[in-house]
Amino acid sequence: MKNLSLTLYAFHLRQTLTDAPDRVADDAAKLWDNLTNLGHFPGLNTLKSHLICYTNTQYTPQNEPGKQTHWLTHAQDINLGAIATADGFKITANLQPFRLNDTYAIDLTLTPDSPHLDITIPQLQHFRPQSLLPHRIQATLGQTLWLYAEVDAQTDCASLAKQCATALLANTPLNPSLQDQDSFFGSHLFDYLATQPSQPDNPASQCHILISFNTSQSPTIELLGKAYDELLQLLCSYHKLRYIYHQSRQRYPEARHLYSHLEQQIQTLPNLTTNPQTRLDTLKNLLNQIPQTALDYARCLRDLRAHQTAMETNLTNFDTKQRNIAQIGDIPQFWDEFLKDSQRDKQQIQTDINYLSPGQELFGQMLETVRGIVDLDQAERDRTLDQKLQNLELWIAVVGTGLAVSGISSQVDSQPIQTFIQNQTNSDTPICPGAGVVKCTAYNGLNVLIHIIIALAIALPIGLILRQIRHPSK
């Protein structure tokens, strides 16, 4: 394989939907950190000094120009130097970093120091492909490894492509699977996908591999140069479409779980209202839970709508870039198939939204229903408590009046029985305690009883009058 090149295209989110316009994602700088940590090439150690978004190795994204698509270096591409191999040749590395709207993109291309060298399958390990795999780069949107080489016309390109894909993933749990094959700019193109066993559906952990073999001295390299900007944008849209759909598949089950929880609450609501003694406290607890659940549900629905909008945008971008590239030369048919598959994915998201949207209204109705019952029960409880307090106040007023009257009467005549006897019989009353325990106790008891009767005679009418004033209907 001559004129060989191995290029890593990686795409990493700089900013997410939830980030403010002047803020970036928490892990926005991870792509640059991981590249620096590779350390194979001399230039990687000083990579950050070449990037506009760094000041003295400090990540400062506000330094980036205002336009949405631009180079992230002061002098375009960065020569990362070369490393020697045990077979006597050197491998040079060149890095082109970009910002594409909300995404960081890199083009890291490795080539032998001479295009005339005939590179064998075992020699692919000199390029250290394991360091270019997803677990090392950790690009949030995903990545593509693109191997290009010129081979003899008699070469079994399908077999050679399989060997190359396997070699690039050697000593890893990844197993390449051929997805499609076609031609691109006059060269054979093989599309492989290798999934991580622990995360088979996560695009960020998958390794997308494109292998191009030029068997007819076609001007593939020249045409790739002309289509470079369009191709970079197409690959970015490709990874975004796969990433967005994966994100929607994460959100949809969460919304379904919340919807199911709501259905259970609706079914148990009649049982919660049967016991008047516990109903109010139980419904108050439910009322505290519903707003948070409804908010989580609304966020899931909002994210699905945002994913659908992002799908539409990137479908348009992918289609536009594909058409522009087709004006330069032949393009693979499976790009159009991918576009159709992504359109079906977008329709699936719309179906999910249509299914879940009524649930948002149902949350509102549930909240209003529970709040209405709570308000009624709370008002009834408040009225009952208020009645009890009024009755207590009334009794306090009656008792207070009685005590006051009793106190006054005792001050006026502390021994009304003795006074009565003297007035009626003109006889002396017994003097206590000399009169004996029985007589003294009887006289004192009668005296107290007289004061109580006087107190009741005055306090009870007053109490009845106050009660009639407070409750005129009773």
Side-chain angles (χ1 to χ4, degrees):
M1 296 181 290
K2 296 181 179 180
N3 201 17
L4 182 143
S5 64
L6 180 63
T7 301
L8 168 67
Y9 296 99
F11 303 92
H12 186 77
L13 275 180
R14 176 187 183 272
Q15 192 175 47
T16 66
L17 178 66
T18 57
D19 293 315
D22 59 341
R23 301 294 298 272
V24 298
D26 293 338
D27 62 347
K30 181 182 287 187
L31 179 64
W32 314 121
D33 292 335
N34 291 339
L35 284 174
T36 302
N37 293 335
L38 293 181
H40 301 330
F41 294 90
L44 289 174
N45 296 326
T46 58
L47 169 62
K48 294 179 180 179
S49 65
H50 296 282
L51 298 176
I52 294 174
C53 53
Y54 277 87
T55 301
N56 298 324
T57 70
Q58 183 68 35
Y59 181 58
T60 50
Q62 59 269 25
N63 291 349
E64 298 171 16
K67 53 185 180 179
Q68 297 297 301
T69 302
H70 54 79
W71 287 77
L72 286 177
T73 62
H74 301 285
Q76 295 192 349
D77 59 330
I78 305 172
N79 184 355
L80 298 179
I83 57 173
T85 67
D87 289 331
F89 64 90
K90 293 182 178 180
I91 296 175
T92 61
N94 181 276
L95 177 67
Q96 299 181 74
F98 304 94
R99 174 182 166 184
L100 307 178
N101 298 305
D102 60 353
T103 303
Y104 286 139
I106 62 164
D107 169 341
L108 176 60
T109 299
L110 311 181
T111 56
D113 54 355
S114 172
H116 304 294
L117 286 173
D118 191 0
I119 303 298
T120 64
I121 296 294
Q123 288 176 330
L124 288 177
Q125 299 308 312
H126 293 319
F127 292 80
R128 302 184 185 182
Q130 289 78 15
S131 65
L132 306 178
L133 298 182
H135 71 282
R136 294 294 302 275
I137 304 302
Q138 297 181 7
T140 50
L141 294 178
Q143 64 175 63
T144 294
L145 269 179
W146 196 325
L147 186 147
Y148 170 84
E150 297 173 357
V151 298
D152 295 334
Q154 297 79 19
T155 302
D156 183 350
C157 292
S159 176
L160 183 60
K162 175 65 174 177
Q163 295 177 57
C164 288
T166 302
L168 292 175
L169 302 175
N171 303 317
T172 73
L174 301 174
N175 185 32
S177 173
L178 179 64
Q179 305 296 301
D180 287 290
Q181 64 181 73
D182 207 331
S183 63
F184 182 43
F185 288 166
S187 294
H188 300 280
L189 182 65
F190 299 88
D191 187 335
Y192 283 88
L193 188 66
T195 61
Q196 183 67 247
S198 60
Q199 297 178 314
D201 299 324
N202 185 2
S205 65
Q206 296 171 352
C207 186
H208 180 229
I209 300 175
L210 293 174
I211 298 177
S212 296
F213 288 138
N214 190 339
T215 60
S216 57
Q217 297 183 343
S218 298
T220 304
I221 295 295
E222 179 184 348
L223 297 178
L224 285 172
K226 291 181 179 180
Y228 183 82
D229 291 342
E230 304 290 333
L231 185 59
L232 184 68
Q233 295 272 7
L234 180 137
L235 287 175
C236 183
S237 294
Y238 166 83
H239 284 287
K240 276 190 172 182
L241 286 168
R242 300 183 70 240
Y243 170 82
I244 293 166
Y245 186 65
H246 173 70
Q247 291 293 106
S248 74
R249 296 309 86 198
Q250 302 298 307
R251 270 322 225 172
Y252 179 67
E254 293 177 19
R256 283 294 304 272
H257 174 75
L258 294 171
Y259 193 99
S260 175
H261 183 61
L262 173 63
E263 286 289 346
Q264 293 175 4
Q265 289 178 329
I266 292 175
Q267 292 175 7
T268 58
L269 183 59
N271 297 330
L272 299 178
T273 59
T274 55
N275 188 343
Q277 302 299 323
T278 61
R279 179 172 61 190
L280 181 58
D281 293 335
T282 302
L283 291 181
K284 278 186 175 181
N285 182 54
L286 181 60
L287 195 60
N288 290 331
Q289 298 175 12
I290 293 177
Q292 183 60 51
T293 306
L295 179 61
D296 293 340
Y297 190 83
R299 291 178 63 187
C300 287
L301 204 52
R302 176 209 64 184
D303 289 348
L304 285 173
R305 292 190 176 111
H307 292 328
Q308 186 195 33
T309 301
M311 288 285 288
E312 290 176 353
T313 301
N314 284 281
L315 279 168
T316 300
N317 291 344
F318 189 94
D319 187 41
T320 301
K321 302 309 175 184
Q322 177 186 229
R323 293 176 184 274
N324 292 344
I325 296 172
Q327 295 178 0
I328 299 174
D330 62 302
I331 63 173
Q333 185 64 33
F334 58 75
W335 283 356
D336 193 53
E337 294 298 323
F338 171 77
L339 189 64
K340 293 177 181 178
D341 290 341
S342 296
Q343 288 170 342
R344 284 192 290 269
D345 292 341
K346 181 182 77 72
Q347 185 57 46
Q348 180 60 55
I349 297 176
Q350 181 60 57
T351 301
D352 297 340
I353 293 173
N354 293 342
Y355 176 81
L356 295 171
S357 292
Q360 194 169 23
E361 183 179 352
L362 193 58
F363 267 108
Q365 293 173 348
M366 176 73 168
L367 185 61
E368 290 303 318
T369 300
V370 174
R371 182 179 287 129
I373 298 174
V374 168
D375 289 344
L376 289 174
D377 281 9
Q378 186 64 56
E380 182 62 30
R381 177 179 286 188
D382 291 343
R383 281 194 296 270
T384 301
L385 180 60
D386 185 60
Q387 182 64 45
K388 291 180 179 179
L389 289 175
Q390 289 183 10
N391 291 337
L392 179 60
E393 291 174 357
L394 181 61
W395 279 110
I396 291 174
V398 170
V399 172
T401 301
L403 291 175
V405 170
S406 176
I408 293 172
S409 67
S410 65
Q411 292 293 327
V412 173
D413 189 350
S414 61
Q415 295 180 333
I417 293 298
Q418 287 85 335
T419 302
F420 176 78
I421 293 174
Q422 287 177 348
N423 293 334
Q424 294 297 323
T425 62
N426 292 321
S427 59
D428 295 331
T429 58
I431 300 174
C432 295
V437 175
V438 175
K439 285 186 177 183
C440 288
T441 301
Y443 275 107
N444 290 334
L446 289 173
N447 288 329
V448 172
L449 181 61
I450 291 297
H451 292 305
I452 292 175
I453 292 173
I454 294 172
L456 289 174
I458 296 176
L460 285 178
I462 292 176
L464 292 174
I465 293 172
L466 291 175
R467 178 180 175 83
Q468 185 62 29
I469 293 173
R470 292 190 177 187
H471 307 287
S473 61
K474 295 185 178 179

